[in-house]
Every structure is written in structure tokens, then in C-alpha cells.
Amino acid sequence: MSRSFLGWPAFPEAAAREVGNRQLRENVRRATHTIRGKRAVLAAERPDWEQLRDSAAAIKDRVLAGLEGYLLQVEEKVTAAGGTVHWARDAAEANRIVTDLVRATGEREIVKVKSMLTEEIGLDAALEAAGINARETDLAATIVQLGDDLPSHVVVPALHRNRSEIRDIFAREMGRHGRPAPEGLTDDPAELAEAARLHLREKFLGAKVAVSGANFVVAETGTLVVVESEGNGRMCLTLADTLISVVGIEKTVPRWQDLEVLLQLLARNATGERMAPYTSTWTGTVDGDGPRDFHLVLVDNGRTRALADPVGRQALRCIRCGACMNTCPVYERTGGHAYGSVYPGPIGAILNPLLRGLDDPQTASLPYASTLCGACNEVCPVRIRFTDVLLDLRAQVADGGRHPVERVALNTVGAAMQRPLLWKAAVKGAGLLGPLLPARTPVPGWTDNRALPDVPGESFRTWWKRNEGERA
Amino acid sequence: MPPNAPRSRTALFVTCLNDTLFPGTGRAAVTLLRRLGVEVDFPPGQSCCGQMHFNTGYRRETARLARHFVDTFGGYEEIVVPSASCAGMPAESYPLAAVGDPGLAREVAELAPRTYELTEYLTDRLGVEDVGAHFPHRVTYHPTCHSLRATRLGDRPHRLLRAVDGIDYVELPAAEECCGFGGTFSVKNPAVSGAMNGDKARHVLETGASVLAAVDNSCLMNIGGRLTKDGHPVRTLHLVEILARTAQDGPLPGLPVVEAAR
Ligand code: SF4
């Protein structure tokens, strides 16, 4: 049974567990700092960087404002090009559509590439339940799948693993799922890549059905776009007889010209490269070349709910470059699994509650998985204002009455703060922060890590009164 | 700022945290501002900017405190705040809390440009960098997230520090990384907060400084709490407490003295 994020604990609990894993923390720190540095250099290289970000945000906002129209255009163009469009409201519907499509081919072994959405909806488990074995072909996704693990980053799903862990996974697992790893495999990156190449090549050549995601769908032509580093996606997209692309409705862009802006930002932000090594585009079907059967499954699964949130809708601009997680100090300490979703880090902290709602404790904990330091605001290529959205979601949680004790406490203090006499009395007693901050009542966790400041004998206002009383 | 400006036109908003736990910061602010010729007043009705409420999701409470802030400080020409995060509230957060209350929104909009974080007030409003301070100790400086990204202080604090007589100023490694305090974040996510704070404390120790300065006592309380807990004698001081000290005051008792570095 493949693992999934279903039933994940709330962030504080999951994060506490991950923070305790020193190896993980070191792996994540190393990887994020490396990409962060490369990204900074490549972004600084473009004098028009800030304008590119403005354009990208504007393009995505235009899409979101007119989403329905663009989606209908996608349907029309894809159908005209020989493809079939399916609409899925939620995960269950999407999984059913894909499972039925695969069943109709009679295949039981399929290949998959580049789809976070299928992870979001738990497609692998659904296929497995239907007796269909889906194998990932992206290198990092392969590492995750072979290790019976979960992705921890949107660009580098196996970012939490180091070379020697990967070697062990390959040596142990490859043989159980096809071509085994070569004898005496070491953790040399070139050897690891070669082992993966040989293992995966067998899958590509045998696969009759492929499931892919897409980074963009161009409405004016019905063209899908995948950006990748290894070329494995291209294999899946061209070698299979049946191609099923499962795509979130927000991936739509109006015109080809928009890609000029978005692809530049994506490459530089995601991996610190001027251009991604492979950018593949496909439109419907063509006789004698590529898949004979093409299906596009357009998935909502909470996206229209997010769209209805006036502050939060900007999260749907996200192009999954991963820059926000590479720069986030919280993500750096926890890695991706703590967020309980394929979307971790700052974007996960806002997108998951927006997609799934704030009714369960896991999603309701995510808007608080940030210190509001604002580092993410500065790197996002589509200018998502994370701190604004986090604060707005917190307000929604608070208004939903999820933290009754906290509300009473803050209300009481707030009331005193607006009544000068009461407030003065509280402060003069020098014990105000007693009930408020951890000064008098040690808060578990806080005082494990820090000594409390001494409470001074005299508040500022008492000092002022003593010295300035006659003037004040 | 003409020295003979009418009294009571510059208000000190000392902030609730400074009032109760770090009164030395407020006293230093008064001392320094007066030395620079500013007639500073402390409106006694003041309380809290509401940042804790706002950041935890309590907008209505924040709006009430914003109203209280406007009522308390509305009559002053300038408001000086020795905290970058609290100084950022009127410009950054009150407009959001005031959504649906146009009257409050308008008053907030009038007051926000007159609200200065202390170092901003010194450099931009008074036009000074050398404030005549003397501090013969090794100091490093942590730029807090709000000072970087809400109040956008840039290198103002560094310029003020470098101009201090006798100081041995050393850069903090990975200075712009968050210390992990984040108000209620440190309570709601203590494990992650502790890990971030631990790294910050390690960087402070790497500098060999005996004083860590910042413009937010909340972050200093976090980092200082860690240093103390781990038994390190590094002191944390609000920047203004350094700027307020003069040659007459001599070195700060209990701190290693350095040879004049300049
Ligand atoms: S939210 Fe912005 S920075 Fe984060 S992954 Fe999406 S596009 Fe990239």
C-alpha cells in the first residue's frame, strides 16, 4: 500500500518529530542553501527581474479572474486537436476517471511523470486498489516511491535524502520493482544516476499508458507544457500509446506569449538555471507520432473554493518553483513532511487550508506554521503576499472559534489595554506579562529552550511618573 | 527638529513589552532624545499596539486597539517607537484591521506617516548618525525580521552603531535569518522555534561579541533567553541603550572593555 498524507497530525506535532531528526535537518539545510544561493545569483542577473515578477502576477491574476472562459477554450481546443477532456470536481472523481481510462486499455503497469496533483488526490493508492501498478519516472519521485516515502519538496521531492540513503534505497528496492541496481553500487552521483537510468529505461520501453501532470495549459491552442531536468517526462509523453494528463484548473494560461515570462521565472527560481533542460509541449494527437489516445483530466479539488477567498486566491498564482520553501527558516528545520501535503513550506501553509478548508485541526494549524518573517514574500516569482494570506487565514481560524481559551485571554487583555486606568493598574503591578507572556506562567516548550527575562521592579510608566510626575 | 519646538509634540510610544519588561529601553530613549534636543512626552493613556492580537488572527480586537492608539497619539506631531515591529503596525497592519471602518482607516492613514521607529527617527527626521555615544565593548547586531521587511530600516541601525565612539562592531553571520520568535509562534511551535533560536545563538557566539543589539526587545528576549539558558554571558541590549551611553557614563559595568577600535 503506498503511503499518503491522509490522517497526518497537525503541524506542531509533526514538526516537533521532524526537528528531532538531525540527519534530515542537515540534508534539508544543505539542499535548500545550495538552491537558494544559485537562485539569488540567477535572479540578480536579470535587470528586469522585478518587472518579470509583476508581469507573471498579472498574467496569473488575469487567468484567475476569467478562469471559466479560459477553461472552456482549453476544452474546445483540446477536443479539436483530437484529445478528450474530462472534468473532475474532487479527488474521488479524478481518481475514478483515471482508473477507468487505464482499465479501458487493459494495462496493469503504467508509468507516471511530473504530477504533484496525482499525489494531492492520492491517485497511486486508488490505482493500486484497482490492481494497477503505477511507477514514477522522475528521478527524485522514483527515490521517494522506491523508499515507500512521501515527497518533501515541490521541485526536489527527495530533497530530504542524502546520497548514501539513496544508494541504500536503490540497492534494496530496485530489484523488487524491475531491473535491480548494479552489484557494488556506491553513492557516487554518476553511478546512482546510471542505475536509475537503466531501471527506468525498461519501464519507458514497456509502457503502453502514461500519466502526466503539466506546468501550464495554453488556452489559445490547447497545448500542455511540462518543464523538467532529466528528459524522463519526454519519454513518457512520447512513447506511450495512451497519455492521460491530470492537471489542476489553475494551470491555465491564456497565450503562448505568457510562457515567455513564466518559463524564465520558473527556471531561475526553481533550480537556479537560465533555462530548464527540457521543456516539452504537446497538443492533442497526431497520426503516426506520439500517443494515439490523449486525455486531459481537469481537476478542481478545492481550487474554486480557494478562488472564492478574496485574500487567499492569490495562492493559485503559484507556479511551483519551490523558492518559498528554499528560503523559509521554518521549512529548513522541519522539511516538507511536517506540512502533511505534497505542498510544503510557505505555499503549503496557505494553499492546503485554502483547498481543504479550515475545519480540521491539521489544516487549521498550518497558518500558524510561520513566524511571519516575510522572507518568502521576497522570492515568490508571482508575488504572493504570504504574510497577508497567513494573517487572513489566522483571522478565519480565530473567527471560527477554534481557540476559545486564547480568545478569552486576548479579549481580556485587549479590553484592559483600551481602558487607561485598568491598564495602568495592570502594568504598575509589574506582573502584567504574568498572565500574558511566559514571564510568570512558564509555557511548556518555551521555557525548555529559553530562560525567562527578569521582571523589573519598576515599569517604565512608574519611572516616568516618579521623575516627570509634575510635568506629565 | 528645532530645539525650541513646543513641548509635547513628540510622543514616545514605549510599547507594552518595554513598559513592563524592558523599562531601561524606554529610559534610554528619553535620555537620548532629550540629549538631541527633542522634547519628548509620554502620553500615559497608551497601552499596546495590538500586534500580538493581529498576528494571532484577532482583527476586531486589533481594530479596537488601533482606535485607542489613534485617540492617544492623534494630537502629536510625531510618535517615536523603540520597536521596529510595533512601529510597523500603523502603516502595515492597522489598515487591514480597519477594513469596514472608514473613519478609523482615515485616521490611521493620517497617523502612520508620523509614526517613526526610533533609528529611522534619528537618521531621517533628525538627520544624525553620530549621536555622541560612547560604548567600549564588542557588539554584534541582529536585524529583526520586522526591521528588515515591515519597517524597512535597511542599514540605518548599522550606520548608527558604527558611529559610536569606542565600539568594536562585528557583523553577525547569517544575520538576516529569523530568530524563531514570531510572537505566538514560539508558543505554538516551540520545537521549530527552539531550533531556529539555537542556530541564531550559535551565530552570535561565533562573533565573540559580549553584547547582542537589536531594535526589538521581543527578539532579544528570545535569543537572550537561549544564551542565558545555555550559560553564555552575552548580554542583549536594545540599540538605544547603547546609543544613550556617553563617555561620562564610562563602560557598562560587568562587560569586557575593548581597546578603541577606531
Ligand atoms: S508560492 Fe511562489 S515561491 Fe512558492 S512555489 Fe509557488 S511560485 Fe514558487
Side-chain angles (χ1 to χ4, degrees):
Chain A
M1 187 69 202
S2 39
R3 286 179 76 194
S4 81
F5 284 112
L6 279 176
W8 212 253
F11 185 82
E13 201 183 317
R17 199 178 54 205
E18 304 290 304
V19 166
N21 182 342
R22 288 198 164 273
Q23 181 67 62
L24 173 109
R25 249 166 84 188
E26 179 53 23
N27 295 349
V28 176
R29 194 192 63 82
R30 243 176 228 248
T32 53
H33 279 246
T34 307
I35 316 175
R36 202 190 284 187
K38 280 165 71 181
R39 180 214 160 266
V41 172
L42 272 275
E45 207 176 71
R46 290 294 303 247
D48 57 349
W49 186 251
E50 296 307 318
Q51 287 97 307
L52 274 173
R53 291 174 76 200
D54 289 338
S55 306
I59 289 167
K60 294 296 286 193
D61 277 349
R62 179 145 39 89
V63 171
L64 296 176
L67 190 56
E68 194 183 336
Y70 291 120
L71 286 171
L72 291 173
Q73 197 182 358
V74 168
E75 179 173 45
E76 183 198 321
K77 297 293 176 184
V78 169
T79 309
T84 311
V85 175
H86 310 258
W87 301 86
R89 253 170 311 214
D90 55 21
E93 216 167 77
N95 288 336
R96 194 166 57 240
I97 292 167
V98 178
T99 310
D100 288 349
L101 287 171
V102 178
R103 269 214 187 106
T105 66
E107 291 296 315
R108 309 217 139 234
E109 287 279 330
I110 68 168
V111 289
K112 272 182 70 195
V113 73
K114 279 282 162 194
S115 176
M116 269 167 266
L117 176 55
T118 59
E119 189 78 44
E120 172 190 325
I121 61 178
L123 178 66
D124 285 6
L127 289 171
E128 205 173 296
I132 298 159
N133 182 13
R135 300 311 295 175
E136 295 289 348
T137 60
D138 173 83
L139 176 57
T142 303
I143 297 166
V144 168
Q145 191 181 36
L146 286 173
D148 190 22
D149 199 352
L150 287 163
S152 66
H153 189 280
V154 298
V155 177
V156 203
L159 167 128
H160 57 296
R161 297 290 199 189
N162 64 22
R163 279 194 274 147
S164 79
E165 291 172 297
I166 294 168
R167 190 217 79 96
D168 294 348
I169 292 170
F170 279 9
R172 196 178 62 230
E173 297 293 334
M174 273 182 170
R176 298 180 33 197
H177 300 281
R179 183 180 175 129
E183 284 293 317
L185 180 69
T186 73
D187 67 0
D188 173 59
E191 272 190 44
L192 293 174
E194 184 60 14
R197 228 166 73 89
L198 295 171
H199 179 82
L200 291 172
R201 186 142 296 225
E202 225 179 57
K203 308 262 175 225
F204 296 131
L205 294 175
K208 298 264 186 298
V209 180
V211 170
S212 88
N215 293 80
F216 306 102
V217 183
V218 184
E220 67 177 352
T221 52
T223 303
L224 281 76
V225 183
V226 148
V227 181
E228 45 151 357
S229 307
E230 298 149 15
N232 292 348
R234 182 162 292 184
M235 300 267 227
C236 293
L237 299 169
T238 50
L239 289 177
D241 292 336
T242 301
L243 173 60
I244 305 166
S245 298
V246 190
V247 182
I249 52 175
E250 85 286 10
K251 294 289 176 76
T252 312
V253 297
R255 302 168 307 168
W256 271 83
Q257 216 183 328
D258 301 322
L259 297 177
E260 172 196 336
V261 173
L262 297 169
L263 289 174
Q264 293 193 63
L265 287 167
L266 182 58
R268 282 171 198 258
N269 258 309
T271 46
E273 293 168 296
R274 291 188 184 87
M275 205 179 152
Y278 293 88
T279 303
S280 308
T281 67
W282 65 103
T283 315
T285 55
V286 186
D287 280 343
D289 185 20
R292 284 191 300 271
D293 213 4
F294 170 62
H295 296 271
L296 171 60
V297 185
L298 288 167
V299 183
D300 181 336
N301 203 35
R303 282 154 180 77
T304 47
R305 171 209 278 270
L307 196 58
D309 187 304
V311 181
R313 71 191 313 183
Q314 59 186 297
L316 295 176
R317 290 184 199 148
C318 174
I319 58 172
R320 315 279 190 261
C321 73
C324 56
M325 47 210 80
N326 296 331
T327 205
C328 176
V330 174
Y331 177 89
E332 184 183 330
R333 271 62 181 203
T334 62
H337 295 164
Y339 297 81
S341 154
V342 65
Y343 312 115
I347 184 62
I350 60 175
L351 188 60
N352 295 310
L354 287 161
L355 293 177
R356 307 212 297 261
L358 289 159
D359 289 335
D360 79 88
Q362 199 273 330
T363 50
S365 72
L366 290 174
Y368 299 91
S370 165
T371 63
L372 303 176
C373 81
C376 45
N377 292 346
E378 296 185 339
V379 294
C380 179
V382 287
R383 291 202 188 281
I384 295 173
R385 287 275 312 170
F386 295 91
T387 42
D388 287 358
V389 182
L390 288 165
L391 285 164
D392 193 73
L393 289 169
R394 289 180 187 192
Q396 293 181 32
V397 173
D399 288 344
R402 211 158 239 303
H403 301 139
V405 179
E406 180 180 279
R407 174 169 283 277
V408 170
L410 285 171
N411 256 326
T412 314
V413 175
M417 283 168 169
Q418 295 147 53
R419 288 182 190 76
L421 286 177
L422 218 90
W423 177 250
K424 274 189 243 173
V427 173
K428 280 195 189 130
L432 151 85
L433 289 202
L436 238 197
L437 277 183
R440 281 284 166 80
T441 34
V443 173
W446 212 93
T447 40
D448 293 352
N449 274 311
R450 306 161 186 83
L452 296 168
D454 295 329
V455 177
E458 183 180 60
S459 70
F460 175 80
R461 66 182 60 231
T462 312
W463 173 83
W464 177 273
K465 188 111 200 282
R466 202 156 50 73
N467 288 273
E468 313 280 329
E470 71 289 355
R471 294 174 56 184
Chain B
M1 179 82 204
N4 55 353
R7 253 196 80 217
S8 301
R9 293 296 90 192
T10 299
L12 176 68
F13 172 46
V14 80
T15 83
C16 67
L17 188 73
N18 290 328
D19 193 0
T20 53
L21 283 184
F22 302 97
T25 295
R27 294 197 298 267
V30 173
T31 306
L32 176 63
L33 290 170
R34 287 196 174 146
R35 197 167 82 213
L36 296 171
V38 180
E39 283 287 350
V40 56
D41 191 18
F42 173 80
Q46 63 177 274
S47 57
C48 166
C49 67
Q51 188 186 167
M52 181 172 51
H53 299 76
F54 188 73
N55 286 354
T56 316
Y58 296 87
R59 297 216 161 162
R60 280 188 299 278
E61 288 75 2
T62 313
R64 279 186 223 124
L65 288 164
R67 157 62 52 210
H68 184 69
F69 185 86
V70 166
D71 290 347
T72 309
F73 293 101
Y76 290 90
E77 266 158 30
E78 306 163 326
I79 302 108
V80 185
V81 193
S83 159
S85 62
C86 303
M89 284 295 288
E92 288 267 312
S93 310
Y94 285 177
L96 295 170
V99 168
D101 185 346
L104 179 60
R106 200 171 44 246
E107 288 184 79
V108 160
E110 281 167 15
L111 202 56
R114 289 186 274 138
T115 309
Y116 298 88
E117 184 279 335
L118 182 79
T119 62
E120 188 185 25
Y121 185 76
L122 297 174
T123 56
D124 299 12
R125 191 85 181 104
L126 300 187
V128 290
E129 282 182 13
D130 184 347
V131 296
H134 175 79
F135 196 75
H137 307 288
R138 176 174 281 198
V139 177
T140 193
Y141 174 79
H142 166 61
T144 63
C145 298
H146 280 92
S147 77
L148 288 169
R149 302 185 191 99
T151 330
R152 302 200 177 276
L153 295 185
D155 66 348
R156 290 176 181 89
H158 306 79
R159 274 159 28 209
L160 288 158
L161 265 177
R162 289 201 191 95
V164 170
D165 183 42
I167 200 168
D168 177 14
Y169 170 70
V170 280
E171 292 286 348
L172 179 66
E176 299 197 352
E177 269 182 27
C178 178
C179 72
F181 179 59
T184 47
F185 178 80
S186 63
V187 177
K188 287 183 188 271
N189 285 288
V192 189
S193 173
M196 292 165 71
N197 199 14
D199 289 341
K200 181 60 74 177
R202 182 165 49 77
H203 290 311
V204 172
L205 293 172
E206 280 169 20
T207 66
S210 46
V211 172
L212 170 70
V215 292
D216 276 295
N217 274 328
S218 47
C219 307
L220 285 177
M221 178 173 76
N222 183 45
I223 308 166
R226 177 60 179 253
L227 291 165
T228 307
K229 180 109 185 168
D230 292 350
H232 302 293
V234 181
R235 283 272 294 275
T236 49
L237 277 182
H238 192 285
L239 179 61
V240 72
E241 298 190 45
I242 292 174
L243 299 181
R245 292 192 72 84
T246 63
Q248 281 99 55
D249 298 328
L252 199 69
L255 281 185
V257 175
V258 294
E259 290 301 316
R262 298 190 306 156

